[in-house]
Amino acid sequence: MPAMSSALSSAAASSPDELSVDVPALARLLDGRYRDVRDLVRTNLAEHASILEDAETMSCDDFRQRVLDVVQLMADTGQTGFGFPAEYGGGDDIGASIAAFETLALGDLSVVVKVGVQFGLFGGAILQLGTKPHHDAYLEDLIHARLLGCFAMTETGHGSNVQALGTTARYDADAQEFVIDTPDDRARKDYIGNAAMHASHAVVFAQLVVDGEGRGVHALVVPIRDDEGRPMPGVRIEDCGQKIGLNGVDNGRLWFDGVRVPRTSLLDRYAIVTEDGRYFSEIENPDRRFFTMLGTLVQGRVCVGGAAINAAKVGLAIAIEYGLHRRQFGDPGGTSEEVLLDYGMHQRRLFPLLARSYALHFAQERVAADLHAVFSDTSADGAAELARRSLESRAAGTKALGTWHASRTIQECREACGGAGYLSVNRFDALRADTDVFTTFEGDNTILMQLVAKGLLTDYKDSFEDLDQIGMVRFVASTAVETVLERTNARTILERLRDAVPGGGRGADDSPDAGLLDSSYHLELLTWREEHILSSVARRLKSGMDSGAEPARVFSLCQDHVISAAHAHVERIVLEAFLDKLETLDEGSNRDALKVLCDLFALSCIEDDRAWFLEHGRLSNARAKAVTAQVNELNRRVRPVAQELVDAFNIPREVLRAEILEFSGS
Ligand SMILES: Cc1cc2nc3c(=O)[nH]c(=O)nc-3n(C[C@H](O)[C@H](O)[C@H](O)COP(=O)(O)OP(=O)(O)OC[C@H]3O[C@@H](n4cnc5c(N)ncnc54)[C@H](O)[C@@H]3O)c2cc1C
């Protein structure tokens, strides 16, 4: 095992009111069932930690090669193959592959994204969309990174709206080949990881045309380079060039001009084309077919969310440790200056983000477990189908909140380290630049939040996947609004009664503080917010439609409201995941510390949205102020165990790297 912080082996001394943390036990809890997998990745990260420095010193081409070398070395240890079938050299364990990917994000993020492209996107598409002949042809080589590939979905003209892609794959029955074409520059494949230098093959998403009839977007395996690394005939490749971050990944553009591939290149799990040019699919509805295909690729989204949350932990580990040593200002008569973390504002800036990282960690653990369960279950009954839809929604929401959280946290931590935070050697440079795009790829966050809202508004009805935005508005206006209103109204009467009491109906006294640390009160507030927003969105959509407005216009006018509903929903399920985790823990110091973090997370959410709660009469002025005072008090309680709480992230010292930590004497 790589070296860890000394605090990992010692529990802090405690007084009755003071929290203490058993760091090794908390680290074990965070690692969960995949501790060995995570330890393997930590060992690999420590071994290749010099790549963090290489990112700053090497030329772009050299660094891309270095990233590839590290990915291939890691593949040799089995770290990247957990999610693939054992018969091809994989580990047959999807949960393990997510744990490995998340842990990898403690280190260089170009390596993470290169791994994501090669094994998650390229490998995942062949595994999930292909059938045995494709698995036999490619999986063993790609798992061992001998065959390098890319995932060519996005085009310059279409990223979020994949159904509107322009690339075509026409079946030529005489030759039994597909002919791939890029009709214009808007249809060129863009931003494609691994395409500019390393990939020999691409999974290309294109509009399938069979016997003159368009069949929607399907995926095909297309060789793009020959054995010498030259583009195949008809393939044009261009480098996307320098990016804000992730410059160890070779993103590129692809054009296809009459490129011919055999009929068997079609990844045909969901649709086949016969030799004589007939198209068959068990899923008749083309929209449903498309969303079913895309749904099988949800793992990438889950992985990116988990990676972002872990990147945020790295930022917090550096900023909190630095804040415990760095002194600035203080009592003029005193002998030494104050440490930064003793300042209330410093605690304010960092501890709610620390609490949110823990909350998101447990929410991510839940979504990863759901993914593992759903993809290990081969039944196709209604319950399995509903579980898939609910997973897609949960994955979208957790990815969006996790990646937004990473950007916000890393920036705050950078500032919390002052000028030192700006030096590349202290890691924030790469962390900030490399995580930035996590909010965009694997689904733009704003689009993902619309997906979450769509699921809520339609209550995951059968037709959920067939609906575009316009269809969704019509659906809500015609049938779903009653269901949403029924669901939400049932609670309202009960809630109004409770509302009459400032303490949420719980405290024996009527003081503004009453019941503020009651977890069920937190959950009720967040649930009430979600249901209130959801029902008012449903009403607005319906009244817009009733007034005769165009569905597209109605949706566009309500869009911010729709996103708020999704946001409220995801924060509620994150809180629930944290509370569920607390339920599983034995009484003891770690449970107490996590309860404080959970309270801090919940009250910070309420405080962040206190204007809304005030507007809607759910908080009185006095209670809103009491929430703020309680957040400060919780920060004060976290302060003595802040170091232990980041030590429990178990980030190898080698990848923490930051020089400021050595300078500060730790
Ligand atoms: C570094 C990097 C690596 C990538 N790697 C790959 C890869 O390997 N393979 C691949 O296929 N793709 C890849 N992508 C592409 C990525 O998945 C897309 O950029 C992403 O899906 C967003 O698409 P877009 O860029 O076309 O943005 P758009 O879809 O045009 O969105 C632009 C903005 O408009 C907003 N917007 C769009 N539609 C709506 C709407 N209906 N309502 C409200 N707002 C809207 C979005 O929220 C967003 O803020 C990569 C991108 C980058 C930057």
Side-chain angles (χ1 to χ4, degrees), residues 82-394:
F82 287 116
F84 292 98
E87 60 183 301
Y88 300 106
D92 255 337
D93 190 336
I94 294 163
S97 77
I98 298 165
F101 191 84
E102 288 168 357
T103 311
L104 193 60
L106 301 173
D108 177 78
L109 292 162
S110 284
V111 171
V112 174
V113 171
K114 191 91 170 170
V115 163
V117 166
Q118 165 70 17
F119 305 99
L121 293 178
F122 175 62
I126 289 177
L127 178 65
Q128 297 295 342
L129 301 178
T131 47
K132 189 156 189 326
H134 305 110
H135 298 169
D136 290 346
Y138 302 115
L139 286 188
E140 193 172 336
D141 280 345
L142 80 84
I143 289 172
H144 295 97
R146 294 190 290 262
L147 169 75
L148 298 176
C150 61
F151 177 90
M153 179 183 271
T154 306
E155 296 173 357
T156 307
H158 288 102
S160 302
N161 186 5
V162 178
Q163 268 181 300
L165 295 179
T167 305
T168 54
R170 287 173 203 283
Y171 187 61
D172 173 351
D174 294 336
Q176 293 185 22
E177 288 173 339
F178 286 102
V179 188
I180 319 249
D181 280 295
T182 304
D184 54 48
D185 272 353
R186 277 170 52 81
R188 70 181 185 192
K189 296 294 174 185
D190 213 341
Y191 322 111
I192 310 302
N194 245 359
M197 285 177 83
H198 296 141
S200 63
H201 287 67
V203 168
V204 175
F205 289 80
Q207 302 286 353
L208 201 71
V209 182
V210 183
D211 199 18
E213 193 176 342
R215 296 294 188 166
V217 172
H218 290 64
L220 305 96
V221 182
V222 181
I224 58 168
R225 285 190 172 85
D226 64 18
D227 292 344
E228 308 295 315
R230 289 173 305 225
M232 294 293 276
V235 177
R236 196 172 124 211
I237 305 177
E238 195 175 274
D239 197 320
C240 288
Q242 192 80 9
K243 305 184 291 288
I244 286 181
L246 298 175
N247 282 303
V249 183
D250 50 319
N251 293 88
R253 304 189 178 107
L254 300 169
W255 289 258
F256 302 95
D257 182 9
V259 174
R260 287 183 168 266
V261 291
R263 182 184 64 92
T264 51
S265 303
L266 177 70
L267 293 174
D268 58 356
R269 177 170 166 195
Y270 292 102
I272 59 164
V273 175
T274 60
E275 289 177 3
D276 58 346
R278 282 170 299 139
Y279 176 92
F280 290 107
S281 171
E282 282 183 6
I283 309 174
E284 279 179 23
N285 182 310
D287 287 338
R288 174 159 297 195
R289 188 186 314 128
F290 170 75
F291 284 112
T292 303
M293 287 189 204
L294 283 201
T296 62
L297 307 177
V298 66
Q299 187 172 343
R301 203 163 274 170
V302 173
C303 283
V304 166
I309 296 162
N310 272 3
K313 289 181 197 165
V314 175
L316 284 163
I318 296 168
I320 286 177
E321 189 168 329
Y322 183 67
L324 280 164
H325 298 282
R326 174 74 175 173
R327 293 178 183 275
Q328 204 72 213
F329 297 106
D331 178 7
T335 50
S336 65
E337 296 174 291
E338 287 277 333
V339 292
L340 292 179
L341 216 59
D342 280 342
Y343 288 108
M345 189 58 204
H346 218 69
Q347 296 174 6
R348 263 265 161 199
R349 292 164 70 186
L350 297 180
F351 293 165
L353 294 173
L354 177 64
R356 198 174 177 86
S357 299
Y358 268 85
L360 285 164
H361 174 98
F362 294 124
Q364 170 68 18
E365 188 179 74
R366 172 82 183 270
V367 83
D370 285 358
L371 180 91
H372 182 86
V374 163
F375 277 76
S376 307
D377 176 8
T378 48
S379 58
D381 58 9
E385 197 51 37
L386 197 65
R388 272 179 188 265
R389 288 195 195 132
S390 146
L391 165 68
E392 281 168 30
S393 169
R394 191 176 273 274

Side-chain angles (χ1 to χ4, degrees), residues 567-578:
H567 195 271
H569 169 74
V570 185
E571 269 193 345
R572 193 261 298 165
I573 61 171
V574 171
L575 176 60
E576 263 178 3
F578 205 155

Side-chain angles (χ1 to χ4, degrees), residues 151 153-154 159-160 191 193 251 437 440-441 444 446-447 450 559:
F151 177 90
M153 179 183 271
T154 306
S160 302
Y191 322 111
N251 293 88
V437 75
T440 298
F441 61 29
D444 169 84
T446 302
I447 302 292
Q450 291 183 47
Q559 216 175 5

Side-chain angles (χ1 to χ4, degrees), residues 63-86:
F63 185 52
R64 286 171 168 185
Q65 187 57 48
R66 169 87 169 115
V67 167
L68 176 61
D69 292 344
V70 168
V71 169
Q72 285 172 324
L73 288 169
M74 287 183 172
D76 289 343
T77 70
Q79 177 199 310
T80 52
F82 287 116
F84 292 98

